[in-house]
Amino acid sequence: MKRAGLVLALIFVMGAVFTAMSPGSAQAKTVFVTIGTGGITGVYYPTGGAICKMINDKRDTYGIRCTVEATGGSVFNINAVLAGDLEFGIAQSDRQYQAVKGEAEWKDKGPQKDLRAVFSLHPEAVTLVAAEDAGIKTIADLKGKRVNIGNPGSGQLQNSIDVLESFGINWEKDIKAEQAKAAEAPGLLQDGRIDAFFYTVGHPSGAIKEATAGHRKVRFVPIDGPPVEALVKKYPYYAKAMIPIAMYEGAANKENVPTVGVKATFVTSAKTPDDVVYAIVKEIFDNLDAFKTLHPAYEVLTTSSMLEGLSAPFHPGAEKYFKEKGLLK
Ligand code: GLU
C-alpha cells in the first residue's frame, strides 16, 4: 500500500512537471478575445481594429489573439459583453452610465452589476446630417420629415430621442422616424429615401464622408440654443461639442457646427481575466503615441483623459496598471 502510494505520488509529480513544460500549458496557451464595435463606416470598427492590431503584433508577449466584430453599436456591445458572447465592447459613455444605473434600454433589467470600465477613447458628437433640398436648417424643420434616428442596439437611438424631445418634438408623432443602421443611412439619404439622419460618432468617419460626398448636397444641422443648455444640465453625460467642418469638404456648412457629445469607452465584464485586461491596457497606454497615429479622432487622447467619462467600476486588470503608473490612487 505504502509503495503504491509513493508510485502514485511520483506519477502525479512527473505529470505536473510535464504539463508545465509542454507547449500546450497555461503559459503558452493563446487566449482569444473579440471586441464588439459598430458599423464598418463608423469609428468604433477601426478603433477595435487599432486595439487588436497592437495586441496581435505582440502575440508572442501576450499570448492574446484579438479579433473585431462589426455590430449594431453601444447597446448591443454592452449586452453581448454581459452575456459572455464578446469579451470586450466599445460603448458610448452615456450608455455605460445608463447600463450601470439601470436606465433607458436597461430600465426593465435593472443595474448591470457585471459591467466593467477599461478606459475611455475619442469624443463622439451627436451628428445630424440633412439634405439641402429638404429645407432642414434647424431641429424644428425636422417636423414631418423622414429621419433616421438609429437602429435598436445603437448608441445614437437614445441621443436622437433626447435631442428631439428637448426641442419639443415627439419622435413617434412629429417625424417619420426610421431605425436603420448608421452604415446604411448615407445611402438612404443620397437615394432620397430619408431627409436626414442622426449618428453619434467620432470625426472624421467614413459614414459622414460618404453622406457629404454624394450628388445630393447635405448640411450639418446645429444642435444648440436654450433646449441644449437644458439638456446638458439635465443629463450628466452630455457636453457641448463641435463638428470640425474642415473634415468634410462636401458639406454645405462652412463653419464648425455646434452640437452635444459623449465619449467612446472600452468596456468588459467582471468575468474577463485580470491578466488579459492588464495586457491590453498596458499595450495601449505604454504605446499611446503609436496608437494615436491609427486614427485622427484619437488626437485629443491623453493617459489622464482616458480615465474620464467612465461610470462602471474599473476592471481590476485595468486598475492594477493605472495604480502602477500613478494614474489612479
Ligand atoms: N456611437 C455609435 C453607437 O454607439 C457607434 C459609432 C461608431 O461606430 O463609431 O452605436
Side-chain angles (χ1 to χ4, degrees):
M1 276 308 272
K2 242 187 177 178
R3 259 186 68 175
L6 194 67
V7 169
L8 266 181
L10 255 174
I11 289 172
F12 179 76
V13 168
M14 283 174 64
V17 169
F18 273 106
T19 308
M21 277 166 36
S22 71
S25 70
Q27 267 293 300
K29 215 167 130 195
T30 302
V31 177
F32 291 85
V33 300
T34 303
I35 303 175
T37 60
I40 57 166
T41 48
V43 182
Y44 286 9
Y45 188 74
T47 297
I51 295 170
C52 279
K53 182 193 166 4
M54 295 191 62
I55 293 298
N56 291 338
D57 281 354
K58 302 235 181 102
R59 195 168 169 179
D60 291 345
T61 313
Y62 301 126
I64 299 173
R65 176 88 184 109
C66 181
T67 51
V68 164
E69 192 172 303
T71 73
S74 289
V75 174
F76 177 93
N77 294 340
I78 289 174
N79 290 335
V81 159
L82 291 169
D85 296 335
L86 296 171
E87 286 72 33
F88 293 93
I90 307 177
Q92 291 176 200
S93 49
D94 51 325
R95 308 313 237 136
Q96 186 185 135
Y97 177 101
Q98 291 159 348
V100 167
K101 302 251 174 192
E103 295 174 4
E105 276 90 339
W106 297 274
K107 206 171 176 176
D108 295 336
K109 294 184 217 157
Q112 301 300 298
K113 297 200 175 71
D114 274 353
L115 191 63
R116 292 292 175 272
V118 185
F119 48 72
S120 65
L121 286 151
H122 57 278
E124 299 190 82
V126 179
T127 305
L128 175 57
V129 183
E132 270 287 72
D133 58 30
I136 302 166
K137 291 213 162 107
T138 65
I139 299 271
D141 297 333
L142 288 175
K143 282 190 192 150
K145 304 288 185 192
R146 199 167 287 280
V147 185
N148 191 48
I149 59 172
N151 58 295
S154 73
Q156 53 270 6
L157 181 58
Q158 189 63 45
N159 301 142
S160 315
I161 294 170
D162 287 344
V163 167
L164 290 167
E165 273 178 1
S166 72
F167 282 84
I169 296 175
N170 182 317
W171 71 273
E172 287 166 303
K173 291 193 198 129
D174 302 334
I175 61 167
K176 294 183 194 115
E178 299 287 344
Q179 300 198 2
K181 286 188 171 177
E184 290 158 16
L188 293 173
L189 189 68
Q190 284 299 329
D191 290 349
R193 288 161 65 193
I194 54 172
D195 301 306
F197 71 86
F198 282 93
Y199 191 14
T200 305
V201 69
H203 293 294
S205 87
I208 306 298
K209 283 198 172 162
E210 188 187 334
T212 53
H215 65 276
R216 196 177 186 199
K217 196 85 178 156
V218 302
R219 70 163 54 242
F220 294 105
V221 180
I223 302 174
D224 63 353
V228 170
E229 303 292 334
L231 184 79
V232 171
K233 248 194 198 151
K234 183 171 172 194
Y235 299 107
Y237 38 75
Y238 284 126
K240 288 194 204 170
M242 281 283 180
I243 298 164
I245 202 68
M247 290 177 173
Y248 303 106
E249 274 172 19
N253 317 60
K254 292 297 158 234
E255 279 165 18
N256 290 347
V257 184
T259 183
V260 288
V262 293
K263 260 181 140 189
T265 74
F266 194 47
V267 299
T268 192
S269 149
K271 296 191 181 80
T272 307
D274 292 4
D275 55 348
V276 173
V277 178
Y278 179 87
I280 294 179
V281 174
K282 180 176 165 52
E283 179 55 28
I284 303 301
F285 275 64
D286 281 359
N287 304 291
L288 190 58
D289 287 339
F291 179 76
K292 286 170 70 170
T293 64
L294 299 178
H295 198 287
Y298 310 149
E299 203 185 315
V300 294
L301 298 185
T302 63
T303 52
S304 56
S305 77
M306 289 169 80
L307 270 67
E308 290 163 5
L310 303 162
S311 308
F314 278 118
H315 187 285
E319 198 174 71
K320 181 175 171 233
Y321 177 87
F322 298 148
K323 283 190 172 159
E324 277 172 14
K325 293 287 161 182
L327 291 164
L328 205 66
K329 289 233 163 60

